[in-house]
Amino acid sequence: MSGFPMLLRKEILRFWKVAFQTVMAPVLNALLYLLIFSHVLEAHVQVYPGIGYTAFLIPGLVMMSALQNAFANSSSSLIQSKITGNIVFVLLPPLSELEFFGAYLIAAIVRGLVVGVGVWLVGMVFIDPGLAHPIWALVFAILASAAFGAIGIVAGIWADKFDHLAGVQNFVILPLTFLSGVFYSIHSLSPFWQSVSHLNPVFYMIDGFRYGFHGISDVSPWHSLAVILPCTLLICLLSLQLLRSGYKLRT
Amino acid sequence: MTAAVSIRGLEKRYASVHALQGIDLEIAEGEFFALLGPNGAGKTTLISILAGLTRASAGSAEIMGYDVLHKSRHARRNLGVVPQELIFDPFFSVREMLRFQSGYFGLRDNDAWIDEILDNLALTDKANTNTRLLSGGMKRRVLVAQALVHKPPVIVLDEPTAGVDVELRQTLWAFIRRLNRQGHTILLTTHYLEEAEALCNRVAMLKAGRVVALDHTANLLHSGDERRLEITLAPADQLPAILLPRLVKQEGSLHVLRLLDYADLEGILTTLRTSGVAVVGMNLRQIDLEEVFIRIMGQESDA
Ligand SMILES: Nc1ncnc2c1ncn2[C@@H]1O[C@H](COP(=O)(O)OP(=O)(O)OP(=O)(O)O)[C@@H](O)[C@H]1O
Ligand SMILES: [Mg+2]
């Protein structure tokens, strides 16, 4: 029998055991954003006709939290194991690189979705943003969490210390998510910044995800899917290849 | 019969260190084998290559006939490794760790064997304790337990008794011996040479990445007729000066003298009697592995 289910189970338990930090904390974070931005902007900003700013903001926050936590899950699990040395517990058994990759990736997706649902439920306390196309919403949530979970694997393998990870988080993950239209529609930007935003894959993740809630978006969900699917596959392949090479894990 | 461990021309270069400089070694199934050597000799590096944690710069290694690189899944399935570093996973209890480890090897419902391991390593009452909260010696035992969950044919222990108390060392060795009798091959590194002498049928000594001695333990101990005479003198007495060239070790009033053959004994006893020192204890024994080790390491550095 394969060792994959047990590794997946362990990776999920790892964050679930400390759910206070890994689930509650990010949900609380999103709640603070929601309180502040909706208080300041609700009366002044309407992005789509008939949709209030808070309702517009909720899917953005859900997606942002899901992405960041998917990244945090795989990257912090790997770096912790590398630093404490207990990575050997998963390197000694006959687990293939694909099984290894799959377990860390799926655990990251699960954490992303759990946090996302938490943020969504908290948002519902303020206002129901609707759920026009649940399948679209789910597809984008999974693909985006997968992409960031895979980036987390790459970063976790590459990083030698927590500082390195913090660097990736501050200089890559945070700018990508903040400049993707979480808090605004890119139509409110100047044409130059609009075209820059169109180069950011995270923009399509959030835009497509919003379509799942409001049934309306800046670009068509098919267009977003066509951008994100290859991106996600590419980063997954890269991360699997890195594992196969033994880079920094089997030196 | 395939060898349990087979190593050919193995080399490992780190940036500034040539840690293994061409190792050839065959360990047959069922052996209890000691890999000895001073700090930095390359023991852990060799074990890491067997375990697939480190890649060799040249040469190859097989576990039960499976190449550690090209047939890694089979090789790993046949191997259990107790790492030298005291590592643990701070999120989980002892039993959880053993269940995970079983699961990684594809084993479900392994609890009967897990309980037996826990019992043999005196860990039963710690089964539900978080590994973070265990003492150093207990963490070491958990590492041993983790290496055994899948009943590997080849068991490699990298200094398993460092920091483990005397009583438990006995219990641990009794357990490992039993596994050895049941057919498991044991490869052991230790700096306690009396352990290696008592347990292992064959010994390899490593120095600066080379094998400098490889033989049956008995042959190493019986090389030559050299013996040791341990005499304990009364506290006030000095060893007669004429015997000083024979002195190999002194601890307080205990003197260990070199005896080239039994005929030497007569002369030594006469000297002691005529010089009038009081002998309060006397013991004749074989040369031990520690002395062989020191001699071999010494010769190598002269060369
Ligand atoms: N990752 C590494 N990078 C660079 N050099 C290393 C690395 N690991 C080990 N070495 C070097 O390789 C040599 C052999 O080390 P190794 O750990 O195999 O020794 P050992 O025989 O296990 O020693 P000990 O008895 O202290 O455990 C040493 O000189 C060590 O400094
Ligand atoms: Mg070592």
Side-chain angles (χ1 to χ4, degrees):
Chain A
M1 205 185 279
S2 154
F4 163 77
M6 195 53 109
L7 186 57
L8 174 59
R9 191 185 149 90
K10 187 217 101 185
E11 274 303 298
I12 290 175
L13 273 175
R14 193 196 65 88
F15 79 80
W16 191 246
K17 282 207 166 189
V18 285
F20 194 76
Q21 301 151 42
T22 55
V23 178
M24 299 290 277
V27 169
L28 179 69
N29 248 329
L31 173 65
L32 294 176
Y33 279 123
L34 202 60
L35 280 172
I36 294 164
F37 282 90
S38 68
H39 172 73
V40 175
L41 298 174
E42 176 68 42
H44 309 288
V45 178
Q46 194 182 43
V47 181
Y48 299 121
I51 299 169
Y53 180 72
T54 309
F56 169 83
L57 180 61
I58 289 170
L61 282 178
V62 168
M63 193 53 143
M64 184 180 83
S65 308
L67 302 179
Q68 290 179 349
N69 281 278
F71 172 83
N73 203 65
S74 48
S75 62
S76 65
S77 176
L78 282 166
I79 190 92
Q80 271 174 17
S81 289
K82 283 192 343 183
I83 287 176
T84 58
N86 65 40
I87 189 92
V88 307
F89 295 156
V90 290
L91 294 178
L92 290 174
L95 290 157
S96 71
E97 285 82 10
L98 186 62
E99 290 171 314
F100 192 100
F101 169 76
Y104 280 83
L105 186 77
I106 294 173
I109 295 174
V110 171
R111 162 118 166 245
L113 295 185
V114 168
V115 171
V117 167
V119 174
W120 179 49
L121 292 178
V122 164
M124 295 277 260
V125 174
F126 291 75
I127 190 165
D128 182 353
L131 194 55
H133 305 287
I135 301 291
W136 273 120
L138 192 64
V139 165
F140 282 108
I142 290 175
L143 278 179
S145 299
F148 277 75
I151 297 175
I153 295 176
V154 174
I157 293 173
W158 165 77
D160 295 321
K161 42 186 184 173
F162 283 101
D163 290 357
H164 291 162
L165 271 195
V168 177
Q169 204 134 23
N170 291 327
F171 291 98
V172 182
I173 307 298
L174 226 53
L176 276 181
T177 47
F178 269 65
L179 302 177
S180 61
V182 171
F183 299 103
Y184 51 82
S185 161
I186 62 160
H187 285 313
S188 58
L189 297 174
S190 68
F192 172 75
W193 286 108
Q194 274 195 38
S195 43
V196 170
S197 296
H198 277 123
L199 296 175
N200 179 359
V202 184
F203 158 74
Y204 298 92
M205 296 176 181
I206 292 188
D207 198 58
F209 190 59
R210 267 202 181 108
Y211 179 83
F213 286 80
H214 309 314
I216 179 168
S217 53
D218 287 353
V219 303
S220 112
W222 290 105
H223 179 170
S224 293
L225 186 66
V227 174
I228 296 165
L229 197 59
C231 284
T232 305
L233 285 178
L234 195 72
I235 182 74
C236 284
L237 279 178
L238 176 71
S239 130
L240 185 58
Q241 223 30 56
L242 202 63
L243 282 169
R244 290 215 165 107
S245 76
Y247 176 71
K248 290 212 178 175
L249 293 181
R250 301 183 193 273
T251 48
Chain B
M1 198 166 78
T2 52
V5 178
S6 167
I7 296 168
R8 282 180 226 103
L10 204 64
E11 290 191 43
K12 179 66 186 181
R13 284 172 206 274
Y14 291 112
S16 59
V17 189
H18 199 174
L20 297 178
Q21 314 195 2
I23 305 280
D24 291 283
L25 203 58
E26 293 260 322
I27 303 174
E29 267 186 75
E31 279 201 87
F32 206 131
F33 191 95
L35 188 61
L36 305 178
N39 292 137
K43 305 179 295 292
T44 299
T45 304
L46 182 69
I47 288 172
S48 301
I49 293 173
L50 294 181
L53 299 174
T54 298
R55 286 183 182 167
S57 312
S60 64
E62 290 174 1
I63 304 290
M64 301 298 284
Y66 298 110
D67 188 283
V68 298
L69 202 58
H70 306 296
K71 289 264 186 274
S72 61
R73 293 189 75 157
H74 285 96
R76 285 181 217 157
R77 203 171 282 287
N78 282 285
L79 184 67
V81 178
V82 181
Q84 178 177 3
E85 303 289 332
L86 258 196
I87 50 181
F88 59 97
D89 191 328
F91 287 93
F92 301 106
S93 74
V94 175
R95 184 177 293 281
E96 283 175 311
M97 285 312 294
L98 296 179
R99 284 193 178 144
F100 289 147
Q101 214 61 32
S102 305
Y104 300 161
F105 281 89
L107 303 166
R108 304 283 178 275
D109 308 320
N110 201 24
D111 272 10
W113 174 235
I114 288 176
D115 285 334
E116 197 177 330
I117 299 176
L118 288 174
D119 184 43
N120 275 289
L121 294 169
L123 281 170
T124 305
D125 58 337
K126 298 288 176 192
N128 297 315
T129 305
N130 186 302
T131 50
R132 188 184 54 214
L133 304 175
L134 298 177
S135 74
M138 290 175 194
K139 287 193 184 100
R140 175 85 59 203
R141 283 184 256 158
V142 175
L143 285 177
V144 176
Q146 280 182 243
L148 299 178
V149 288
H150 57 297
K151 299 188 181 163
V154 181
I155 302 169
V156 177
L157 306 112
D158 199 351
E159 299 191 30
T161 46
V164 174
D165 69 44
V166 185
E167 192 185 338
L168 223 107
R169 245 186 275 169
Q170 301 295 332
T171 332
L172 171 67
W173 289 132
F175 186 33
I176 300 294
R177 263 193 161 126
R178 206 183 83 207
L179 292 170
N180 180 239
R181 273 198 303 275
Q182 290 168 359
H184 295 263
T185 307
I186 315 289
L187 170 59
L188 158 76
T189 82
T190 178
H191 291 292
Y192 302 112
L193 296 175
E194 69 279 8
E195 261 178 6
E197 181 177 334
L199 292 162
C200 299
N201 68 307
R202 222 152 58 96
V203 171
M205 293 188 192
L206 223 58
K207 183 175 179 188
R210 290 177 203 278
V211 176
V212 293
L214 172 64
D215 208 338
H216 290 275
T217 317
N219 292 348
L220 286 170
L221 294 173
H222 295 165
S223 46
D225 289 326
E226 217 174 303
R227 297 275 187 291
R228 291 290 179 263
L229 179 68
E230 300 176 339
I231 51 174
T232 311
L233 302 179
D237 284 336
Q238 294 283 328
L239 190 73
I242 193 169
L243 292 180
L244 280 178
R246 293 184 175 276
L247 188 67
V248 287
K249 196 156 103 183
Q250 181 178 358
E251 283 166 10
S253 53
L254 174 74
H255 298 74
V256 181
L257 303 183
R258 178 183 299 114
L259 215 60
L260 293 178
D261 53 45
Y262 281 113
D264 277 358
L265 192 56
E266 190 62 43
I268 294 173
L269 293 179
T270 311
T271 311
L272 287 172
R273 199 177 327 114
T274 53
S275 62
V277 296
V279 175
V280 296
M282 187 179 285
N283 177 34
L284 186 65
R285 64 165 171 83
Q286 283 185 344
I287 183 169
D288 65 21
L289 194 59
E290 188 167 317
E291 289 159 323
V292 175
F293 180 84
I294 288 168
R295 193 175 63 207
I296 290 176
M297 292 300 150
Q299 280 169 0
E300 281 300 313
S301 53
D302 299 341

